[in-house]
Amino acid sequence: MIGCSQKESNPIEIDVTDQIVAPNQYVVNYANKPLKIDGLSDSAWNQTAFTNSFIDITGETTPYFDTRAKMLWDSSYFYVYAELQEEHIWGDLKQKDTVIFYNNDFEVFIDPSNDTRNYAEIEVNALNTVWDLNLDKPYRVGGKAKNNYDMQGLKTAVHHFGTCNNSADIDSMWTIEMAIPMTALIELKNKPRYLPQQGEFWRLNFSRVQWQHDLIAGKYNRKMTKHGNLTGENNWVWSNQKVVNMHEPEKWGFIFFNAPNSTETEFQVDYNIKLEQAVYAVFREIKWGDFTYLLTEKAGTNIQLTVTYAASERANGFFVKTNKGFEIGLECSQENNWYCINEEGNFFKNQTFSDED
């Protein structure tokens, strides 16, 4: 920690309880044989469990269509299969790497290093049009979407249980299957880069974007208000984000990898998930929330924090204004260290902080 010129005797109290989520978890088993990517649930998926049904991204409403997914992996691919209940299957975006969520779509977000950096996003619509992109960091800290990113070897397929772009009938669902190259995902990892080991976990979330529609001359269009504005989309996700923002990777679910022939069904994360989220939540409060006034403090200022992040869980912490920006830390007494973050949103652990620093 940089030397501190000031300290406040009374800690600032910050309550981030309403920003903490319980990320879903899923064990990804090893596929016994390569999968045929055709959008259908063939025998390879028969013994694979579905995720829970998707929820609204804020966790406040219930989706009116069901969505579930499955996952498998092998040394070549990370496999995804999803079923999207749908009464009207439609799409009109046919050019790769256009903004696919302007249609109803299915999206995958993957962070192999669990550090909110260098993560992949894949979007696919009912026409099997793909948008694959990579972000060096979240948009909130200046991340740039690399739209020219091309995930070499990506395979996707969709299947319609009904008819696409036919307003004269009622459909049942559409399904999507993906084979995401392991080589591309491992390239996103921090060094050393290697295939997943038994029990290794990555961060992942799924999103489904669903628009209400109008029929104009028999063609599907996103629904407009009487004032000519879009009515807005629904966002349904596997793991709760609590806000309409998929680019808070610290909230994504955990996927654990089973090695070949392993039958393990449960794994544990090896750190305090809620406290880590609390650090990110305090970061957001100071950057854009009710505590932005702290950003005007002079370099060297050290302010004590008391952070509530669950009904009966609190952590002592600090805010330090540095020459470059700031650092925030919350004490993890169970690990005898500090969970920290800086002005760039970079999370790290440090065991050296003390009142004398």
Side-chain angles (χ1 to χ4, degrees), residues 67-92:
T67 313
R68 300 183 300 170
K70 297 182 177 186
M71 290 166 268
L72 288 168
W73 79 287
D74 62 25
S75 59
S76 298
Y77 293 101
F78 176 74
Y79 300 102
V80 175
Y81 169 78
E83 295 183 350
L84 296 79
Q85 182 187 36
E86 177 63 83
E87 293 181 352
H88 292 275
I89 303 171
W90 67 277
D92 59 9

Side-chain angles (χ1 to χ4, degrees), residues 55-61 235 237 240-245:
I55 62 171
D56 180 76
I57 194 169
T58 63
E60 295 177 357
T61 61
N235 298 272
V237 299
N240 191 3
Q241 293 286 122
K242 280 201 172 180
V243 293
V244 186
N245 184 0

Side-chain angles (χ1 to χ4, degrees), residues 123-326:
E123 303 186 6
V124 183
N125 69 2
L127 299 177
N128 197 31
T129 308
V130 174
W131 184 17
D132 53 351
L133 57 153
N134 165 247
L135 280 91
D136 57 345
K137 53 188 176 181
Y139 294 116
R140 65 190 176 198
V141 286
K144 304 293 184 182
K146 300 175 184 177
N147 291 315
N148 60 351
Y149 174 75
D150 188 11
M151 189 172 277
Q152 294 287 335
L154 173 67
K155 301 178 183 179
T156 66
V158 301
H159 185 83
H160 306 141
F161 289 82
T163 55
C164 188
N165 290 323
N166 181 0
S167 60
D169 64 0
I170 298 297
D171 306 312
S172 173
M173 67 176 178
W174 61 287
T175 57
I176 181 167
E177 198 172 20
M178 298 183 184
I180 305 172
M182 271 294 179
T183 52
L185 295 176
I186 291 170
E187 276 298 309
L188 299 176
K189 292 181 70 173
N190 299 328
K191 295 180 179 179
R193 299 186 175 106
Y194 47 75
L195 285 170
Q197 306 298 299
Q198 172 70 2
E200 180 178 332
F201 59 84
W202 294 2
R203 303 304 291 272
L204 175 145
N205 212 349
F206 296 121
S207 174
R208 174 181 178 177
V209 173
Q210 185 74 18
W211 296 87
Q212 297 182 58
H213 67 268
D214 284 322
L215 287 173
I216 301 175
K219 294 183 63 176
Y220 290 97
N221 292 269
R222 290 181 291 170
K223 191 175 184 64
M224 309 290 287
T225 69
K226 63 181 180 180
H227 301 294
N229 300 314
L230 289 169
T231 56
E233 78 280 14
N234 292 286
N235 298 272
W236 302 330
V237 299
W238 169 49
S239 197
N240 191 3
Q241 293 286 122
K242 280 201 172 180
V243 293
V244 186
N245 184 0
M246 287 302 298
H247 294 277
E248 293 187 356
E250 65 274 11
K251 296 178 180 177
W252 295 351
F254 290 89
I255 56 171
F256 297 86
F257 289 88
N258 250 343
N261 303 315
S262 173
T263 58
E264 290 291 326
T265 59
E266 292 186 10
F267 295 93
Q268 296 294 322
V269 177
D270 59 358
Y271 64 91
N272 189 324
I273 301 170
K274 288 190 289 186
L275 187 62
E276 180 200 50
Q277 284 192 47
V279 173
Y280 279 102
V282 173
F283 166 80
R284 293 191 297 269
E285 286 296 317
I286 290 174
K287 283 280 268 189
W288 307 285
D290 294 336
F291 296 87
T292 54
Y293 66 89
L294 292 176
L295 300 177
T296 64
E297 295 286 348
K298 294 188 295 186
T301 300
N302 178 6
I303 298 173
Q304 298 176 55
L305 307 175
T306 300
V307 176
T308 301
Y309 59 95
S312 59
E313 296 182 78
R314 306 177 82 193
N316 295 320
F318 64 82
F319 167 86
V320 172
K321 190 66 168 63
T322 67
N323 290 323
K324 292 183 178 180
F326 63 83

